[in-house]
Amino acid sequence: MSELLPPCTNACPVRTDVRGYIAAIARRDYVEACRLIRARNPFPSVCAWVCPHPCEEACRRAGVDMPLSIRELKRFAVENAAWSPAVPAPATGKKVAVVGAGPAGLTAAYELVLRGHRAVVYERHRSPGGHFFTSLPAYRLPREVLQRDLETILAAGVEVRTGVEVGRDVTVTRLRDEYDAVIIGVGLRASKRLDVPGGGLPGVYPALEFLEMANLGERPRVSGRVAVVGGGDVAMDAARTALRLGASEVLVICLEEREQMPAHRWEVDEALAEGVTLLPGRGPAGIMEQGGRVVGLKVQKVKSVFDPDGRFNPVYEPGSFESVPCDTVITAIGQAPDFRFLNGSGLKAGEGGRLVLDGEFFVAGVRGLFCLRRDSRRARPGHCRSSLRPQGGGVGGPLFKGRKRAAA
Ligand code: SF4
């Protein structure tokens, strides 16, 4: 199938009709451009700001001079076209509960509503949006941009119950009894913990918790020198947020050399332009403390990050330890599932910390329970690397299918 798509559309995780909407913009038919964009994506405004635009890397115009600015054109269209809410299909009488009002959960709910089903989304935070709301700093994604997309989703008829934590205020089992189906769309909402001496000291923040506190106005205590461990986009967000919260200096320490860093090139460039210092090729070996307080990070030089087969398997140079004085450590070394939503349901995560699925989406052993899984190791908020769309109208069937990772 992918060979039949234009390269830009094939590279887009939601398979946007890029040629169609750019042609519509060229005709000044912005409403049609928006219709084509929204046909694949209920978060067009968010993507117009923060999508890493793999479509542009695939753009064939690059063979002539330079790729088209596909994301900027999307932004122009969504900001300049009048838009009326989508009209849902006639009501089917079926109702579905969705756990988590993040991008996947809201996309699922939106598509269900358009097909005439009732969709009720349960969200533990006070606002919907998931990682867009809790993890992405407002300087990257202004909240009015997110609000625009949320309003469209809510106007279509999606119901969101905020401040309700599944696993604490209501169980998955109870939802399963009350609804025709339950969809789990909680994403990877926990930070992986740094397993080194001192990793649990006060002053050591997992990046997602740090960003969530900053975005929800709780202002994590940041002063002096901050060391951010990790080389991905979340590390860049944490570093730039720490600067904004008053850090005198921010160092990013990562295993990879700069060219190998998993963060997008422009995210690293922007962090450096703001004054962040990069210490590449080093891994954390321990956190130094004095009187119960963080005073530094012990790091070790990295010989290689990947083995000859390309697997992540860092090897360190023996005895090559250095001390990096700092007052705060933020760890951005990856994300993990958080299964608290299963509390009280009798369900448990299986081997490897994953829900056991029967096929692509059915949770094994529970009729009517579906899981929207992340199908990309690099997926993170704003990247749209695993968006979902229903494949049929029946609630009892396999409603959703994960989009395959973009072939960049
Ligand atoms: S969603 Fe992202 S990848 Fe898809 S067309 Fe828009 S900018 Fe490109």
Side-chain angles (χ1 to χ4, degrees):
M1 174 69 185
S2 62
E3 310 85 69
L4 303 177
L5 295 171
C8 48
T9 296
N10 190 43
C12 170
V14 289
R15 304 290 191 262
T16 304
D17 179 1
V18 174
R19 294 192 304 183
Y21 85 71
I22 290 180
I25 292 171
R27 297 193 304 272
R28 297 180 190 275
D29 188 350
Y30 309 137
V31 170
E32 172 63 4
C34 276
R35 190 193 66 74
L36 290 170
I37 293 165
R38 286 181 191 276
R40 308 293 299 180
N41 182 0
F43 285 100
S45 305
V46 169
C47 286
W49 275 74
V50 295
C51 177
H53 47 74
C55 51
E56 294 180 23
E57 284 169 40
C59 177
R60 298 187 69 182
R61 180 76 203 186
V64 179
D65 42 31
M66 58 196 296
L68 296 178
S69 297
I70 298 171
R71 190 182 73 180
E72 287 303 307
L73 286 164
K74 170 180 282 124
R75 189 156 152 190
F76 174 81
V78 295
E79 288 180 359
N80 285 283
W83 178 250
S84 356
V87 181
T92 62
K94 302 280 188 188
K95 56 177 186 169
V96 180
V98 179
V99 182
L106 286 177
T107 299
Y110 180 72
E111 297 284 357
L112 284 164
V113 160
L114 294 189
R115 282 157 177 75
H117 309 306
R118 185 175 166 212
V120 182
V121 186
Y122 290 82
E123 169 56 49
R124 67 192 171 118
H125 287 107
R126 61 180 156 79
S127 295
H131 281 307
F132 291 155
F133 172 61
T134 59
S135 304
L136 277 187
Y139 65 83
R140 285 189 59 209
L141 178 65
R143 292 306 183 251
E144 61 273 18
V145 172
L146 172 59
Q147 198 53 36
R148 214 179 296 149
D149 287 344
L150 291 175
E151 276 166 15
T152 310
I153 292 167
L154 298 180
V158 170
E159 297 167 49
V160 181
R161 299 196 180 154
T162 53
V164 182
E165 184 166 346
V166 175
R168 185 193 65 186
D169 304 316
V170 61
T171 63
V172 167
T173 322
R174 173 138 173 240
L175 293 178
R176 184 60 204 93
D177 289 342
E178 285 181 14
Y179 291 83
D180 293 292
V182 178
I183 293 173
I184 294 165
V186 295
L188 300 174
R189 59 187 188 181
S191 288
K192 285 187 180 161
R193 305 283 152 169
L194 189 59
D195 188 18
V196 297
L201 282 171
V204 179
Y205 292 98
L208 288 185
E209 282 87 331
F210 173 80
L211 289 168
E212 183 171 318
M213 287 169 80
N215 285 327
L216 301 187
E218 292 168 27
R219 287 192 72 85
R221 283 171 64 90
V222 170
S223 61
R225 240 174 163 222
V226 174
V228 178
V229 179
D233 287 345
V234 175
M236 300 307 121
D237 287 346
R240 295 171 69 186
T241 299
L243 277 179
R244 284 165 174 77
L245 289 174
S248 60
E249 192 180 356
V250 177
L251 308 155
V252 168
I253 293 140
C254 60
L255 299 171
E256 303 86 357
E257 291 302 329
R258 181 161 175 195
E259 312 71 52
Q260 295 177 310
M261 285 172 67
H264 286 96
R265 190 190 58 253
W266 55 88
E267 300 288 354
V268 181
D269 290 345
E270 286 173 20
L272 295 179
E274 288 188 0
V276 169
T277 304
L278 201 57
L279 289 181
R282 293 163 174 86
I287 291 169
M288 294 142 63
E289 64 127 335
Q290 221 166 56
R293 193 172 74 78
V294 173
V295 293
L297 185 68
K298 190 172 170 190
V299 298
Q300 189 172 10
K301 282 201 177 149
V302 174
K303 212 166 164 183
S304 62
V305 181
F306 301 99
D307 67 18
D309 294 325
R311 282 187 295 255
F312 180 74
N313 186 17
V315 176
Y316 296 91
E317 289 183 15
S320 61
F321 294 103
E322 294 169 38
S323 297
V324 179
C326 62
D327 307 283
T328 303
V329 174
I330 302 171
T331 61
I333 55 170
Q335 292 164 231
D338 173 356
F339 287 109
R340 275 178 295 175
F341 68 91
L342 291 178
N343 288 350
S345 70
L347 289 168
K348 288 200 169 20
E351 217 173 291
R354 287 170 183 271
L355 275 180
V356 181
L357 299 188
D358 179 4
E360 205 168 4
F361 297 110
F362 301 100
V363 175
V366 190
R367 202 161 170 271
L369 185 59
F370 303 87
C371 180
L372 307 181
R373 67 180 194 183
R374 300 287 287 267
D375 64 352
S376 163
R377 288 186 62 231
R378 288 199 59 185
R380 74 176 209 90
H383 284 202
C384 321
R385 286 190 188 266
S386 63
S387 64
L388 300 124
R389 287 174 58 80
Q391 298 301 298
V395 169
L399 286 175
F400 300 91
K401 177 185 173 193
R403 292 274 173 205
K404 290 196 166 51
R405 186 167 54 167

